[in-house]
Amino acid sequence: MNWIILIIGGLFEVGFTTCLGKAKTSSGTEMYLWYVGFIISLFVSMALLMKASQSLPLGTAYAVWTGIGAVGTALMGIFFFKEPAEFWRIFFIFTLIVSIIGLKAVSPHE
């Protein structure tokens, strides 16, 4: 169950970085709403990381959480913020995904 909590926390990390990107391109009330989304997503993400790390190895939990955030944020950048999708960028995103799966595979089970 804590792996699921950790994955959800990583997805909220993608949420708070996406909110930052959207706030950067917004103005007025819309910008402030994106910042509110950032704060909420940040709080939820950190709370879920804290919960998951109570029973998962901290180093592994943090690496997986950060990896999910990094991969998700890079993909959001490509799909929604028109960032380049060059071969090497996709290659290294793929290596991050493989590394996250590897860390989960070699970690002690609950």
Side-chain angles (χ1 to χ4, degrees), residues 17-97:
T17 57
T18 301
C19 287
L20 278 179
K22 295 298 282 182
K24 187 171 80 171
T25 61
S26 302
S27 62
T29 303
E30 182 181 358
M31 178 186 68
Y32 291 113
L33 290 174
W34 284 115
Y35 282 132
V36 168
F38 164 78
I39 292 168
I40 292 168
S41 296
L42 178 64
F43 177 79
V44 171
S45 181
M46 292 290 174
L48 292 173
L49 173 62
M50 285 176 20
K51 173 68 177 145
S53 66
Q54 289 176 349
S55 66
L56 299 174
L58 181 59
T60 301
Y62 181 75
V64 170
W65 177 79
T66 304
I68 292 168
V71 168
T73 301
L75 292 175
M76 292 297 285
I78 290 169
F79 292 119
F80 295 105
F81 296 108
K82 309 288 190 268
E83 294 177 3
E86 300 163 345
F87 171 79
W88 286 111
R89 189 166 190 192
I90 300 300
F91 173 79
F92 287 117
I93 290 171
F94 177 75
T95 61
L96 274 171
I97 294 168

